[in-house]
Amino acid sequence: MDSLNMYFVEQHQVKLVHEAVPDPGPNEVLVKTSKTLISTGTETICLERRFEPGSHYDRWVQYPFPPGYSLAGSIVAVGSGVSDFEPGQRVAIRANHRQYVLTSPQRLYRIPDGVSDEEATWFG
């Protein structure tokens, strides 16, 4: 399975990249993204390099740079040792703009019934 992931490859240039998605290992969870929060402020600052040399952003934004920091989705698979989550559950996570995210269960937040995936992206 492939994941379609976004990268800022240089100033003013965005590229979508297909990358292999590994199966979850022990104590890992695979999440398929349904919504991801795009901040016009943060993403624009990073894509256009609107920051001073030596600043936090200058140290953080190194091309190719995977933007994004908050998304919602559903668990598609869990590795051995994961007992608190199961496939089909909706979760939110602080992660880059990715189609699939492989992560530890400790980084996940359950999305309550009545909260849409779009609303859940704002949790961070």
Side-chain angles (χ1 to χ4, degrees), residues 66-103:
Y69 51 82
S70 184
L71 61 84
S74 296
I75 295 172
V76 293
V78 298
S80 63
V82 176
S83 58
D84 293 341
F85 292 94
E86 60 187 41
Q89 286 181 306
R90 294 183 321 123
V91 293
I93 182 174
R94 292 186 61 83
N96 304 116
H97 301 308
R98 304 180 71 79
Q99 189 175 10
Y100 289 91
V101 176
L102 187 62
T103 189

Side-chain angles (χ1 to χ4, degrees), residues 98-116:
R98 304 180 71 79
Q99 189 175 10
Y100 289 91
V101 176
L102 187 62
T103 189
S104 70
Q106 292 82 9
R107 294 184 58 215
L108 300 176
Y109 297 88
R110 287 181 178 83
I111 300 174
D113 291 340
V115 175
S116 71

Side-chain angles (χ1 to χ4, degrees), residues 4-106:
L4 187 58
N5 305 317
M6 179 190 297
Y7 290 92
F8 295 166
V9 292
E10 61 184 60
Q11 187 176 11
H12 302 287
Q13 187 175 359
V14 178
K15 185 174 184 180
L16 297 176
V17 178
H18 287 275
E19 297 174 314
V21 177
D23 292 328
N27 299 309
E28 290 183 322
V29 176
L30 182 62
V31 176
K32 182 176 183 184
T33 301
S34 61
K35 299 286 182 183
T36 185
L37 180 67
I38 296 176
S39 163
T40 56
T42 302
E43 268 79 357
T44 300
I45 288 168
C46 296
L47 180 61
E48 296 181 359
R49 293 198 69 82
R50 288 187 184 177
F51 45 80
E52 295 295 320
S55 67
H56 157 73
Y57 279 100
D58 191 37
R59 290 184 297 277
W60 179 43
V61 179
Q62 300 296 314
Y63 300 127
F65 176 75
Y69 51 82
S70 184
L71 61 84
S74 296
I75 295 172
V76 293
V78 298
S80 63
V82 176
S83 58
D84 293 341
F85 292 94
E86 60 187 41
Q89 286 181 306
R90 294 183 321 123
V91 293
I93 182 174
R94 292 186 61 83
N96 304 116
H97 301 308
R98 304 180 71 79
Q99 189 175 10
Y100 289 91
V101 176
L102 187 62
T103 189
S104 70
Q106 292 82 9

